[in-house]
Amino acid sequence: MASLTLPPAPPNPRQDAIDLHKAFKGFGCDSTTVSNILSHRDSMQRGYIQQEYKTMYSEELSHRISSELSGNHKKALSLWILDPAGRDATVLKEALSAESLDLKAATDIICSRTPSQLQIMKQTYYAKFGTYLEHDISQQASGDHQKILLAYVGIPRYEGPEVDPTIVTHDAKDLYKAGEKKLGTDEKTFIRIFTERSWAHMAAVASAYRHMYDRSLQKVVKNETSGNFEVALLTILRCAENPAKYFAKVLRKSMKGLGTDDKTLVRVVVTRTEIDMQYIKAEYYKKYKKPLADAIHSETSGGYRTFLLSLVGSH
């Protein structure tokens, strides 16, 4: 469930483009107006605004935002105006570039997306950057981490809720044999099951595993694997069981301790606002006894804070 709030009457994209242009004009940018307009438009409306803006002013809205705003506010708005697949592709390209390598962010994006989202995103990635996502993964990731990412973006998985209990039991047994039962770990089996099975199936496997061996599959993954390979397995498992809870945890981590991991904060808020932010907020409150909006408020400031809070909403 999205947290985005839209005006009661559908706004006119042409008028929005005019208002944005006015906000950019003159000395200093009226960033409040820019944020107010764009943070209350859905993906399709933002697309129309960008078309109108380009038609009327012969420049890309994204370029104007880049030149008028700065810092985290600019980063957040620049990502927000992209369509979901373009946004994921952009974040991934940056995360898989040698100069800004962030394999954790790449893993988070890849392993928390549905097969259909990954499919569109791969096409967008190639169209945008002229290189295949798989190529960039091969260049930057290594070992079992590379194997699981390549398998995850390459294998079409079922997205429905049905599961086959026989296969579920079989997979739980195979994971037990591949991990806890043996000395060392058979990573191949973990990769095969985690990348070939649907989320509903993986959630059922986790439940069966606990029932059969009185152990949490997450704990097993933590004990048997490490590094980014472990991160990938845990992301798949947590998103299979409860994506909102997973993202609540990611947000909490980004704001915990000294300093804020703004990159992660922006990425999660911007990419989940139109999907499941209401559920994430509920999970956040349930687990940390503090509204997500309050946490964001205390970790951010200025136009950046206002923009993120507009997306997240207060309730």
Side-chain angles (χ1 to χ4, degrees):
M1 201 176 141
S3 60
L4 188 68
T5 52
L6 302 173
N12 178 334
R14 192 183 177 89
Q15 190 55 51
D16 280 344
I18 293 167
D19 292 342
L20 283 168
H21 191 251
K22 269 187 207 155
F24 291 135
K25 269 172 76 177
F27 184 69
C29 162
D30 177 2
S31 60
T32 309
T33 298
V34 175
S35 285
N36 279 346
I37 294 171
L38 293 172
S39 65
H40 297 295
R41 303 293 183 269
D42 65 25
S43 188
M44 196 181 271
Q45 290 166 340
R46 296 193 303 275
Y48 289 142
I49 292 168
Q50 288 176 84
Q51 285 168 14
E52 287 288 353
Y53 195 92
K54 193 174 183 183
T55 305
M56 292 166 77
Y57 305 110
S58 305
E59 77 167 333
E60 298 287 353
L61 178 60
S62 56
H63 293 168
R64 198 64 200 253
I65 285 171
S66 270
S67 63
E68 295 287 349
L69 297 173
S70 61
N72 291 315
H73 192 189
K74 173 171 96 174
K75 282 177 194 156
L77 254 171
S78 298
L79 273 182
W80 174 244
I81 62 170
L82 298 170
D83 63 281
R87 200 185 289 141
D88 278 352
T90 302
V91 172
L92 265 180
K93 185 65 182 166
E94 190 185 340
L96 292 170
S97 298
E99 57 281 0
S100 54
L101 192 63
D102 185 347
L103 289 173
K104 213 160 183 288
T107 305
D108 171 76
I109 290 268
I110 290 167
C111 297
S112 66
R113 299 302 187 255
T114 64
S116 43
Q117 286 171 333
L118 286 172
Q119 208 44 47
I120 302 165
M121 188 261 286
K122 280 198 299 184
Q123 292 162 2
T124 307
Y125 194 95
Y126 184 76
K128 239 173 151 42
F129 307 114
T131 169
Y132 290 105
L133 173 60
E134 292 87 341
H135 170 268
D136 287 352
I137 290 170
S138 300
Q139 291 285 306
Q140 302 299 349
S142 59
D144 291 317
H145 181 230
Q146 182 200 79
K147 284 176 196 160
I148 196 167
L149 291 187
L150 288 174
Y152 210 71
V153 299
I155 296 169
R157 280 171 300 283
Y158 178 62
E159 290 186 44
E162 299 84 6
V163 296
D164 181 332
T166 316
I167 302 174
V168 167
T169 306
H170 197 274
D171 283 348
K173 281 180 184 165
D174 281 354
L175 287 170
Y176 179 68
K177 283 182 207 155
E180 287 192 285
K181 198 181 176 192
K182 73 186 302 253
L183 199 63
T185 311
D186 169 12
E187 288 87 359
K188 259 189 188 155
T189 299
F190 275 84
I191 292 170
R192 175 179 60 80
I193 292 171
F194 275 66
T195 60
E196 290 179 7
R197 306 296 190 235
S198 71
W199 276 355
H201 182 95
M202 284 310 300
V205 169
S207 172
Y209 198 98
R210 186 183 283 279
H211 183 71
M212 290 158 73
Y213 305 109
D214 201 24
R215 290 272 285 167
S216 136
L217 190 51
Q218 281 195 38
K219 279 211 173 87
V220 172
V221 167
K222 285 177 185 173
N223 290 341
E224 296 289 332
T225 61
S226 62
N228 285 318
F229 179 50
E230 177 193 339
V231 172
L233 291 168
L234 287 175
T235 303
I236 293 166
L237 198 50
R238 286 168 178 161
C239 286
E241 295 186 287
N242 186 340
K245 191 176 175 183
Y246 165 74
F247 284 111
K249 200 170 183 175
V250 173
L251 284 168
R252 170 72 170 180
K253 262 190 177 164
S254 75
M255 295 183 278
K256 218 176 138 194
L258 205 60
T260 307
D261 174 1
D262 290 291
K263 230 179 191 177
T264 302
L265 178 59
V266 166
R267 182 179 80 243
V268 176
V269 168
V270 166
T271 56
R272 305 313 291 188
T273 287
E274 290 180 274
I275 300 174
D276 54 0
M277 186 51 80
Q278 291 294 39
Y279 298 129
I280 293 169
K281 288 193 311 192
E283 288 290 347
Y284 194 95
Y285 189 78
K286 193 167 135 190
K287 194 162 170 57
Y288 307 111
K289 306 289 175 273
K290 180 181 187 177
L292 176 60
D294 289 5
I296 291 172
H297 189 277
S298 57
E299 293 293 326
T300 55
S301 61
Y304 170 49
R305 171 201 278 166
T306 310
F307 178 64
L308 289 188
L309 291 177
S310 300
L311 296 185
V312 166
S314 51
H315 304 299

